[in-house]
Amino acid sequence: MTNPPALVWFRRDLRIKDNPALHAAARSGAPLVCLFVLDNTGAFAAGGASRWWLHHSLVALQKSLSALGGTLVVMHGPASKIVPQFVDKIGAKTVFWNRRYDPDGIETDRYLKTALQGAGVSVNSFNGALIREPWETETGAGAFYRVFTPFWRAMQRLGPSRAEITAELDASFKDLAKDIHTQGTGSNPWGLLPTAPNWAAEFPDSWVPGEIGAHKALRDFVASTIDTYDTDRNRPDLERTSRLSPHLAFGEISPLQIWNAVHAQISAGNIIEKSAMTFLSEIAWREFSYNLIYHYTDIQTTPIKPNFANFPWRDDDHLFQRWTKGQTGIPIVDAGMRQLWRTGWMHNRVRMIAASFLTKNLLIDWREGERWFWDTLVDADAASNTASWQWVAGSGADAAPYFRIFNPVTQSEKFDPTGAYIRKYIPELRELPDKYIHAPWKASHAILDEAHITLDQTYPKPIVDLQTSRQRALDAYATVKSS
Ligand SMILES: Cc1cc2nc3c(=O)[nH]c(=O)nc-3n(C[C@H](O)[C@H](O)[C@H](O)COP(=O)(O)OP(=O)(O)OC[C@H]3O[C@@H](n4cnc5c(N)ncnc54)[C@H](O)[C@@H]3O)c2cc1C
């Protein structure tokens, strides 16, 4: 009798190393079949930029699997239908996957577990996405953490809740019949690439989707940049962050691998501990966001702070469009929004400034911004995006108090002091002296003329007055703060 195959269902865990589901399936001794389902259903179906990254990540995973003698089957449709049909087709008796923590992912997991077990198939699910699962880090009272600092302290005290798998994968793969290959052909086999890309054109060469690229990014960052992370991470002009976010979002590297690699370098005395721990605290923000999305299942639509339910957001599509296009007249906001559109990524400090400008100066609902980021970020992540937007808007757990409204000009002067970041993404302001680059409307006609700028022709005047709109935001907040 032939040994029935085991199905490994890949999700946002597109890697071979430290992949608990894949390694457990290999240990079962059954020949493996690997599946990825392109599921466009649910609130967190991949947006445009993520689909671009996903294409390249799937190509990389296919390459790695084929080097091991396997293959990756890619199918389109709702996972809740495709997975059981495929299990049936290949005659699998066991299925392995790594868990998801967003509401749609959890519902799919639950549904599939019941359906497959009901059909006599054994289901094995694992933690492949987090250092500690959301229910594993609790307060002394047995509740989940709503505030980051004690959460981070607990994470440091408790450490990872599973051991990293460092052994090489030792698996055998089932030979698949030709009719099972449903991955299409050509350069865009799954229809994930945009047909007329006007973004990603400036994607940095150093940014390589896939597991190999992820580990190279980590190695490069630890070797050359981590020591200055503590002091320079807020500087968009210096590019001193790890840029690991899309790799993490697609599970090309696990946060546990990052945690262990950084701790090993600290122990060896190769890197500065304080700076490295600041970096790991950002990885912990990711964990905290997963903790929030797991416990606040409607985080994408409902403010965590109930008093924000009736916040008087303004509906203004014209201003929203200006924001998305980087045409607000506030250079740091526009530079960020153009970086996002052109490269699929934006520096964290600028994300905060741009999000604050939308939700406070324009008084536009954070859910609009969340959707735009979801579609345009290559690192779009259900947990980090929703939690961060609520954080900036003031409605989130442990959020910045609403009344602490960023002044984008002072933020810009502080974090992009020479205007290098602004000049990179807004070439029409390139010739403006440093003194005016953050607020061109303050420059005299003579200075603007010399820099070849005509406000509202070559570059917009601010679409709102920063002082007036700040006060309007505070007034709006006053109407809900005690409700
Ligand atoms: C409005 C807004 C929306 C955001 N949306 C996303 C998103 O969709 N996906 C996403 O991965 N991050 C999101 N972030 C968080 C953060 O901006 C990015 O993780 C970071 O800029 C990625 O760059 P990096 O990898 O160089 O970060 P580094 O500074 O090198 O940090 C290392 C890793 O830590 C994690 N991390 C860092 N900061 C945060 C944070 N504030 N919250 C959660 N995780 C964090 C990321 O996984 C990141 O790759 C958002 C932040 C804001 C303010």
Side-chain angles (χ1 to χ4, degrees):
M1 215 175 107
T2 54
N3 194 0
L7 178 68
V8 183
W9 174 30
F10 280 91
R11 308 165 90 192
R12 285 207 169 210
D13 53 357
L14 304 178
R15 64 179 183 274
I16 306 287
K17 290 185 178 143
D18 192 40
N19 184 325
L22 175 63
H23 284 256
R27 280 196 305 274
S28 76
L32 308 187
V33 176
C34 300
L35 172 72
F36 183 85
V37 181
L38 276 168
D39 186 342
N40 285 328
T41 59
F44 294 109
S50 292
R51 287 165 68 81
W52 184 90
W53 188 285
L54 177 59
H55 166 91
H56 294 288
S57 195
L58 287 174
V59 169
L61 181 64
Q62 256 186 347
K63 212 168 154 192
S64 306
L65 282 171
S66 88
L68 294 165
T71 187
L72 182 69
V73 178
V74 180
M75 298 182 88
H76 287 262
S80 52
K81 276 203 186 125
I82 299 285
V83 173
Q85 281 171 4
F86 193 67
V87 163
D88 206 35
K89 180 162 182 154
I90 62 170
K93 290 284 170 244
T94 44
V95 180
F96 295 81
W97 71 65
N98 291 312
R99 288 188 273 278
R100 297 262 312 252
Y101 304 91
D102 57 287
D104 291 330
I106 293 171
E107 202 185 304
T108 307
D109 278 17
R110 282 208 188 111
Y111 171 83
L112 279 174
K113 212 165 221 178
T114 312
L116 291 168
Q117 284 172 344
V121 176
S122 130
V123 173
N124 305 274
S125 68
F126 301 84
N127 165 21
L130 297 171
I131 294 167
R132 301 181 57 78
E133 291 189 286
W135 52 87
E136 291 175 335
T137 311
E138 291 189 326
T139 66
F144 66 94
Y145 283 99
R146 291 172 170 79
V147 179
F148 175 73
T149 305
F151 175 86
W152 170 223
R153 263 192 245 116
M155 259 193 84
Q156 290 175 87
R157 193 178 65 248
L158 298 166
S161 66
R162 71 172 178 89
E164 180 185 339
I165 306 163
T166 49
E168 292 297 318
L169 183 72
D170 181 14
S172 66
F173 294 88
K174 184 178 161 55
D175 255 345
L176 289 174
K178 282 272 175 284
D179 62 338
I180 274 178
H181 288 262
T182 52
Q183 39 228 30
T185 51
S187 57
N188 190 9
W190 312 296
L192 290 168
L193 297 175
T195 44
N198 51 2
W199 47 267
E202 294 173 32
F203 212 61
D205 287 344
S206 56
W207 219 358
V208 181
E211 186 168 8
I212 292 171
H215 284 275
K216 182 173 184 317
L218 176 63
R219 272 196 312 278
D220 289 351
F221 174 67
V222 171
S224 64
T225 322
I226 199 167
D227 283 347
T228 52
Y229 185 83
D230 197 31
T231 47
D232 293 345
R233 71 184 187 285
N234 280 313
R235 294 279 301 271
D237 54 334
L238 299 180
E239 302 189 356
R240 292 282 161 77
T241 64
S242 71
R243 298 219 173 195
L244 279 162
S245 52
H247 298 296
L248 275 163
F250 285 97
E252 298 165 358
I253 189 166
S254 72
L256 182 58
Q257 291 173 308
I258 297 175
W259 177 276
N260 287 345
V262 171
H263 273 292
Q265 293 300 319
I266 294 173
S267 300
N270 292 339
I271 54 178
I272 299 170
E273 179 168 6
K274 183 170 179 287
S275 194
M277 289 312 287
T278 304
F279 170 67
L280 288 183
S281 76
E282 297 301 335
I283 299 287
W285 269 103
R286 178 179 178 274
E287 298 269 322
F288 184 60
S289 304
Y290 274 77
N291 172 63
L292 294 179
I293 200 170
Y294 179 76
H295 291 287
Y296 294 107
T297 51
D298 53 4
I299 191 172
Q300 193 196 17
T301 51
T302 309
I304 290 176
K305 286 190 183 146
N307 59 328
F308 274 80
N310 297 318
F311 193 88
W313 300 114
R314 293 174 75 231
D315 202 4
D316 192 324
D317 193 49
H318 172 69
L319 291 185
F320 180 68
Q321 292 304 332
R322 295 281 293 260
W323 178 79
T324 61
K325 292 185 166 59
Q327 292 286 349
T328 68
I330 310 294
I332 190 75
V333 174
D334 292 344
M337 296 308 292
R338 295 183 196 189
Q339 179 182 31
L340 176 62
W341 182 252
R342 275 156 52 177
T343 72
W345 187 87
M346 196 200 296
H347 185 277
N348 179 59
R349 171 60 49 175
V350 193
R351 291 187 203 201
M352 291 198 284
I353 299 169
S356 167
F357 183 77
L358 183 79
T359 53
K360 296 180 179 178
N361 297 96
L362 299 185
L363 226 49
I364 290 178
D365 196 325
W366 59 270
R367 285 162 281 215
E368 303 265 335
E370 188 271 336
R371 284 288 91 190
W372 181 257
F373 271 32
W374 181 258
D375 199 34
T376 51
L377 279 170
V378 284
D379 64 24
D381 175 275
S384 300
N385 199 35
T386 49
S388 298
W389 272 98
Q390 290 231 28
W391 187 89
V392 175
S395 62
D398 199 12
Y402 187 86
F403 54 80
R404 207 176 289 155
I405 297 176
F406 276 154
N407 179 327
V409 174
T410 30
Q411 288 283 310
S412 184
E413 286 165 349
K414 189 167 173 194
F415 296 115
D416 183 25
T418 65
Y421 175 75
I422 291 174
R423 287 193 178 87
K424 181 168 180 185
Y425 290 102
I426 315 182
E428 57 270 38
L429 296 182
R430 205 171 271 157
E431 293 174 59
L432 210 51
D434 291 2
K435 188 172 173 210
Y436 297 104
I437 190 88
H438 311 281
W441 63 92
K442 291 186 179 164
S444 66
H445 282 299
I447 289 171
L448 289 171
D449 277 351
E450 209 168 312
H452 305 102
I453 295 166
T454 311
L455 287 182
D456 266 352
Q457 282 182 32
T458 57
Y459 183 71
K461 283 184 186 148
I463 55 174
V464 282
D465 176 74
L466 293 177
Q467 288 313 317
T468 325
S469 58
R470 179 179 188 279
Q471 189 52 50
R472 187 181 58 180
L474 291 173
D475 294 344
Y477 177 61
T479 66
V480 301
K481 84 173 165 198
S482 54
S483 63

